[in-house]
Each structure stands twice: as structure tokens, then as C-alpha cells.
Amino acid sequence: ADPSALEAARDQQARLTKPAGALGVLEEVSIRLAGLAGTCPPPDPSPAAVAVFAADHGVHAQGVSPWPQEVTAQMVANFLAGGAAVNVLARQSGAAVVVVDAGVVTPLELAEDALAVDATDIQPEQPRLIARAVRKGSDDISVRPAMTREQAIRSLASGIEIAGQLAASGYRALVAGDMGIANTTASATLIAAFTGSDPASVTGRGTGIDEEAHRHKVGVVRVALARRTAENDTHPQDPIDILASVGGLEHAQIAGFILGAAAHRVPIVLDGVIAGAAALVAAALAPAALDACLAGHRSAEPGHAVALQHLGLTPLVDLELRLGEGSGAVLALPLVRSAVAVLREMATFDTAGVTEKSS
Amino acid sequence: ADPSALEAARDQQARLTKPAGALGVLEEVSIRLAGLAGTCPPPDPSPAAVAVFAADHGVHAQGVSPWPQEVTAQMVANFLAGGAAVNVLARQSGAAVVVVDAGVVTPLELAEDALAVDATDIQPEQPRLIARAVRKGSDDISVRPAMTREQAIRSLASGIEIAGQLAASGYRALVAGDMGIANTTASATLIAAFTGSDPASVTGRGTGIDEEAHRHKVGVVRVALARRTAENDTHPQDPIDILASVGGLEHAQIAGFILGAAAHRVPIVLDGVIAGAAALVAAALAPAALDACLAGHRSAEPGHAVALQHLGLTPLVDLELRLGEGSGAVLALPLVRSAVAVLREMATFDTAGVTEKSS
């Protein structure tokens, strides 16, 4: 972050017609975005685009989710038809939706005009799909690595490229969303691996499972972690090894998407526990990438709060959401825009002729 | 609230393509608004109007605020010029701003076109002022009642009328904002009187005072409460007596504004501790008025959380804001719109061809 832009934003906040600090977290957001842009005030973070990275998980075979794997592909169709929650919320927030096939198992039946060549080929009004799967679904992390190191790197590179294309197309805020049945299991394993937390404290109920199923899920996460520790004892802290071993294909693409946004100094609003787990990968690879990250919301998944604390990010929306897709992050976009608008548009004590408080 | 509309909204939420309950508080908001409207889905809560009720407080003489009393009038001028935080945030949320002089002490210097005859005479783009002061500032509540019972009733009636005019003008969501140096002192006293809380637990730092000044402020609230108890022993629970004794002129108008919104079945988004205190008055007069109320945010003022708990309202935004003006509530408007849009626009499992989870 640019120190002089940070300081200019702090000074400007102190001159605006309000008690010092009275806009709380919004003030911090505006200061961080000035630091990211290297200028005060920072540019309006509009228009925004949300990329929903969809992939399947081999660990689904362990019975960690009550939903069949076909639902990943069915929800991709729902995103493209505009009927999912993220579509509704993106329309409200004025954000374009792009869906990325990062590794869906079930064959996708696509309408002719639904496929985009790349992320420069998307339209604000009509969600389209970018085909970027390096394989169809990950392997079962409780048995073997999710993917090869090379597949992880190719998926990371795809996410970086998509962010760069969206930035080049004029999008001034990016949102990382996700879809993938069983992806909270891989997320919990990544979070446990990166933060050293016990699996029981970072594994949640996902889309809704009972206590017995939750105990089983925690056990699967433990097995995956133990397997990784046994196999990766030569490079225990290599972020790409951890990602390839216990992550998912969408985690790899989202981690790359974060790196790409940061490289272009475009703010990226993270959604829930999947993006949080991916952000741990990105931050381990390039800590400065966190300058571009805003936590859109705090998910009901317990691992998400652990990831946010590890990353030092303050969530903007806290409404017990646990849907994924980017929904919580899209909801936060108007708050991010408002934070910047305050710095750009509010009157100062001097210009408005308002008396300051006695000290 | 209409029971069949509530049930229809709950049923519809269960059919939408998402795990049950995955949209958390947004689902509750959509169900409550269906109950308020008496129809499912409820209407889009747009356009919105924020009314900023400004008034001064005699208790300012006790040194409870570091800001001079003229700032109330100076901020009214700032609202009318469009430079205050609430103006910036209202532009982002697409809400019209109307300023109500509910009892400002310092004479207002108004541009010719700044005065509106009534609330049917406002414009979305240009904030205007409605002159509705029944007196210039309240009396010092630590010494005598803030106002007469008749003045409280006339102020309540003004708020009711303004809400009715905005509803008749086509506004489908209202926001109650406030301005008034020293108004957190009257708010704390009202909250203590209605909830039975100790003054120390509901009195905050307002716009920013140190520990010694805070102790003094708590003492002033205690004196005001003791005076009221001594004087009002014949009608200790009469809400209008409590309001007239320890409230403020803007509290009275905001309480009326809430009643008027509820009477027209228009949702009203409450801002911070001042609106929360006024909502205690409104709820004591007509408990059903709470059906129309949404808590826009949770203020950093401790009395606000106490008021919200007493009212049973869940705040939508929780970002350590403590500015007033309606700022936190205006920030919540996109969340309220999104909650309704989900119910109106999302696909169902049936129509989208998405498989439901196994039970």
C-alpha cells in the first residue's frame, strides 16, 4: 500500500463534517482503498464483476454432503439462467456475473451464446461461462492429493488471467464467488493446514448437516490432514503443495484471482469460507495481495472467522449467511462504494462552515 | 402482520434454489416485509426517503457535549447543501433527503428554494427543509420537563403527518434520521426510563468525550431520571409523559414518523440510538408499529443495543458507526432491497431443475 495515499486519506477523514471516527469501519475501508490505488481519494469501485468459480470435489465420495454432485452443474445452469441468489443480488448491486468452470464433473449443457471465449467477452446483463477446467473434479483428499502441483499452478494462472482481463475491461471491483458440492470440507482442511487450527474448530455444517454427519465430516478433515502431513514432510509449508494436496480446483483459481486483482490494484471483495481459504493460499504466496482484499461478510461457517482473523480482515456484512456463490460479498459492494463516496464527496468543516468541537 | 402472507413468504423461501436458511437474516427481513404488506412477495421498497429530524436540547447547558449548540443549525445547512454524510450515503442508496426543523435553537439561514411547504413538496435531487418546530429547543431535562405534554403530542402528530405525505407521494421505504447536539443524553434517559436499565449501562460517549466527561454525563442522566420519577408519580408508565419529561423534540417527531409509516404499511428503517429511543416511545403507544420497523444498524452507543434488544429488532449493519443523521439506516437500504428481491426474483428448485438434498 502507498504510505502517502494512506496518510492523505487519514487526514481527509479528519477534515470531513463528522466527529472523528464516527463512520467506523467505513473510514478504514476508504483509507485502505486509497493505499491500494496509490491516490486519495481512491477511484469509485464501479463497475463491479463477480466471478463464480465452480468445481467438484472427490471427497464428496466420503458422504460429507447431503447434496448429490450433479447439483454443482445444475447450479451452473441456474447461474447462467440468472435465477440463483448471486444473480438476484448482483442485479441489485449492479455487478456483472461471470461463471468459471474450474472443474465441474457433470457435463454442462450450455446454450449456444452461454460460452465466453475469455473474461473480456462477458456482458453485464447476461451471465456467461468461461471454460477453464484443468481436470474434471479433484481427487478425494482423504485418500490422495486433490490434484498435481502442475494442475494447481495452471488453475492459479487461470484465476490470475481472468482478473487481469476483467481489470483490462474496465471493472473497478472484483468479487470472488464459488460453487461446488463438498467444498466446505476442502476449505476446512485448507484452513486447518494454514492456521494450525484443530479440524473440529474450523469444520462447519455446510449447507446443513446433523450432528452425526458433522462428526463424520470432522473425521474426514482429520484424515486428509494426516495424509498430507505424512506425504509432504519435505515441503510442509509450501503453499502450492498444501493447495494441491488438500484444496480444490476453485480454491486454486480463486487464489489466482486474488493475486491478479492485487497486481492490477483492483479491490477484491471476498465471499465466505471458500474464498477465505483461497485467500490464505494467496497471502502465503504474496502477503501484499491482502492490500487488495476486503472481507465481504462473515459466514456462519466457523472456519471462516478463523481464516479472517488469520488474515486480519474485518467483515462488512454479518447476517448469518452461509450460501456461497459470492452472495455475501455482492451484498457488501454498496458498502464499499459508500465508503469511497464519503471520501470523495463529503464536505469539510472549512468548506461547510461548521464549528469543530472544543478540545 | 398478516399471518397468511408471513406463511406464504416462509414457504416461498423454502422453495428457492439455496439450502434452507442459507440467506440468514435476509430471509427474516423478506418474511417480515411480506407480513407488513399483507402480500407475498412484498413490493420493492423503492424509492426511499430519509427524513432528518433536527432539534436542540436544553440539557446542552449541563456540558454533556464538547460541540457548541450552533452546530445543529450549521449541520442543517450542510444537509441542505448536500455535503453531509447522510447526503453522500443517500445518493449512493438512491434515497431522497428531507430535513425537518423539529426545534432548532439557532436561527436558520435558508436559501429561497430550500423551504418546502410540506413533505409532498420534496425533490429526490435537492434536499429541502420542512419547518415543524413547536418550540425552539427543549428545556433542560435535568431541571424540568423537556416540553409540555401538548408540545409532545403536536410533535408526534407532525411526524405522523410527514410519514403519511411521503407514503402518499409514492415512497416505499422511509428512514428516520436525526441531528441535535446533546441528543444522546436525552436518548440515554429515554432508554433508561423505558427499559429500566441503569444510566451507566445506556449512556455512551456520543460524538466523543473522555472518561471524566462521560461520568458527568451519566450523572446528568441520573438527575433527569430522578426528577421525572419524583414529578410523574401519578402516571409513571404513560409513554407521552415520559417523552415530554425526558425526551427531545426530534424524538417526539421520529416516534410519530414510525407510527405514520406503520399505519401506511411502509417499512421504516431506523438509524441509531436516537431512533431507537424514539421507537421505544412508538412501541409503547402502539406495539404493532414494530411490524414496520427494521433496525438499520447497531450503533457504537451502548444504549442502542439495549433498545434494540428491548424491541426485539436485529440490526442489519454493524460497522461501529456512531454518526446519526440516518447514516447507518441509509447504508442498510440496499440490504433491505436485496432481501425483497430474493423473494421476488430467485428461481425455485422446480423451475430451475435443481435436485434437492437427500433428507
Side-chain angles (χ1 to χ4, degrees):
Chain A
D2 183 295
S4 66
L6 288 172
E7 193 178 330
R10 277 190 206 103
D11 289 350
Q12 178 70 3
Q13 281 288 358
R15 282 193 293 268
L16 302 176
T17 48
K18 60 177 177 51
L23 282 172
V25 176
L26 288 196
E27 298 189 15
E28 293 165 34
V29 168
S30 75
I31 292 164
R32 292 191 62 209
L33 294 188
L36 175 68
T39 179
C40 176
D44 176 28
S46 295
V50 48
V52 185
F53 294 90
D56 278 307
H57 294 262
V59 74
H60 184 268
Q62 299 297 327
V64 288
S65 171
W67 299 79
Q69 195 165 57
E70 309 88 89
V71 169
T72 304
Q74 291 168 345
M75 284 301 297
V76 166
N78 199 12
F79 297 143
L80 294 172
V86 70
N87 301 104
V88 176
L89 301 175
R91 284 194 291 271
Q92 287 291 318
S93 295
V97 176
V98 55
V99 186
V100 180
D101 179 1
V104 179
V105 165
T106 311
L108 298 168
E109 293 170 23
L110 298 173
E112 239 176 72
D113 60 348
L115 202 65
V117 177
D118 60 31
T120 65
D121 189 28
I122 70 164
Q123 300 165 340
E125 301 300 312
Q126 176 62 44
R128 301 181 97 182
L129 183 117
I130 312 178
R132 288 293 182 275
V134 304
R135 54 181 287 168
K136 286 194 175 294
S138 58
D139 267 328
D140 180 350
I141 59 173
S142 70
V143 178
R144 61 183 67 84
M147 65 195 90
T148 66
R149 190 176 162 91
E150 191 241 342
Q151 288 165 341
I153 291 170
R154 282 173 55 208
S155 298
L156 275 162
S158 166
I160 294 172
E161 183 186 56
I162 292 167
Q165 289 170 344
L166 291 172
S169 300
Y171 290 99
R172 290 292 163 261
L174 302 181
V175 174
D178 63 89
M179 179 69 219
I181 299 302
N183 63 8
T184 59
T185 301
S187 298
T189 314
L190 279 173
I191 292 167
F194 277 100
T195 68
S197 303
D198 187 86
S201 67
V202 297
T203 306
R205 301 291 178 100
T207 50
I209 53 177
D210 63 18
E211 202 173 323
E212 192 186 328
H214 180 249
R215 261 199 307 275
H216 171 65
K217 185 173 169 183
V218 172
V220 170
V221 172
R222 272 193 211 291
V223 169
L225 272 178
R227 179 196 54 71
R228 191 195 82 78
T229 307
E231 290 171 9
N232 291 52
D233 55 359
T234 50
H235 301 293
Q237 295 308 317
D238 183 293
I240 293 180
D241 277 358
I242 298 174
L243 169 65
S245 182
V246 298
L249 295 156
E250 77 277 51
H251 292 102
Q253 297 239 11
I254 293 172
F257 194 63
I258 293 168
L259 297 174
H264 288 84
R265 296 192 168 206
V266 172
I268 176 160
V269 188
L270 306 175
D271 193 39
V273 71
I274 286 85
L280 291 170
V281 178
L285 288 167
L290 284 177
D291 287 350
C293 293
L294 297 169
H297 82 124
R298 186 203 320 265
S299 154
E301 281 286 298
H304 190 216
V306 172
L308 291 182
Q309 186 162 22
H310 193 85
L311 296 163
L313 296 176
T314 306
L316 295 174
V317 169
D318 193 0
L319 296 175
E320 297 165 48
L321 308 177
R322 49 182 175 78
L323 178 56
E325 303 181 2
S327 53
V330 170
L331 273 174
L333 281 173
L335 298 172
V336 178
R337 278 190 208 124
S338 290
V340 171
V342 161
L343 209 48
R344 294 177 66 89
E345 300 177 20
M346 255 186 84
T348 62
F349 283 104
D350 270 0
T351 59
V354 175
T355 311
E356 295 201 50
K357 75 170 179 177
S358 55
S359 56
Chain B
D2 182 296
S4 66
L6 288 171
E7 192 178 333
R10 277 190 206 103
D11 289 352
Q12 178 69 3
Q13 281 288 358
R15 281 192 293 268
L16 302 176
T17 50
K18 60 176 177 51
L23 283 173
V25 175
L26 287 196
E27 299 189 14
E28 293 164 36
V29 168
S30 75
I31 292 164
R32 292 191 64 210
L33 294 189
L36 175 67
T39 178
C40 177
D44 176 27
S46 294
V50 47
V52 185
F53 294 89
D56 279 306
H57 294 262
V59 74
H60 183 269
Q62 298 297 327
V64 290
S65 171
W67 298 80
Q69 195 166 56
E70 307 88 88
V71 168
T72 304
Q74 291 168 346
M75 284 301 297
V76 166
N78 199 13
F79 298 143
L80 294 173
V86 69
N87 300 105
V88 175
L89 301 174
R91 284 194 291 271
Q92 287 292 317
S93 295
V97 175
V98 55
V99 186
V100 180
D101 178 1
V104 179
V105 165
T106 312
L108 299 168
E109 290 170 26
L110 299 173
E112 237 176 75
D113 61 347
L115 201 65
V117 177
D118 60 32
T120 64
D121 188 30
I122 69 166
Q123 300 165 340
E125 301 300 312
Q126 176 62 44
R128 300 182 98 182
L129 183 116
I130 311 178
R132 288 293 181 275
V134 304
R135 53 182 287 169
K136 286 193 176 296
S138 58
D139 267 327
D140 180 350
I141 58 173
S142 71
V143 178
R144 61 182 66 84
M147 64 195 90
T148 67
R149 191 177 161 91
E150 191 242 339
Q151 288 165 341
I153 292 172
R154 281 173 56 206
S155 298
L156 275 162
S158 166
I160 294 172
E161 184 187 53
I162 292 167
Q165 289 171 344
L166 291 171
S169 300
Y171 289 100
R172 290 293 163 260
L174 302 182
V175 174
D178 63 89
M179 179 68 218
I181 299 302
N183 64 8
T184 59
T185 301
S187 299
T189 314
L190 279 172
I191 292 167
F194 276 101
T195 68
S197 303
D198 187 86
S201 67
V202 296
T203 305
R205 302 291 179 101
T207 50
I209 53 177
D210 63 19
E211 201 173 321
E212 192 187 327
H214 180 250
R215 259 199 309 275
H216 171 64
K217 186 172 168 182
V218 172
V220 170
V221 172
R222 270 193 212 294
V223 169
L225 272 178
R227 180 196 53 70
R228 190 196 81 77
T229 308
E231 290 172 7
N232 291 51
D233 55 358
T234 48
H235 300 293
Q237 295 308 318
D238 183 293
I240 293 181
D241 277 357
I242 297 174
L243 170 65
S245 182
V246 298
L249 294 157
E250 78 276 53
H251 292 101
Q253 297 238 10
I254 293 172
F257 195 61
I258 293 167
L259 296 173
H264 288 84
R265 295 191 168 207
V266 172
I268 176 160
V269 188
L270 306 175
D271 192 38
V273 70
I274 286 85
L280 291 170
V281 178
L285 288 168
L290 283 176
D291 287 350
C293 294
L294 298 169
H297 83 124
R298 188 203 320 263
S299 157
E301 280 286 298
H304 191 215
V306 172
L308 291 181
Q309 187 163 19
H310 193 85
L311 295 163
L313 297 176
T314 305
L316 295 173
V317 169
D318 192 0
L319 296 174
E320 297 166 48
L321 308 177
R322 49 182 175 79
L323 178 56
E325 303 180 3
S327 54
V330 170
L331 274 173
L333 280 172
L335 299 171
V336 177
R337 280 190 207 123
S338 290
V340 171
V342 161
L343 208 49
R344 294 177 65 89
E345 300 176 21
M346 256 187 83
T348 61
F349 283 104
D350 271 0
T351 58
V354 175
T355 311
E356 295 201 51
K357 74 170 179 177
S358 56
S359 55

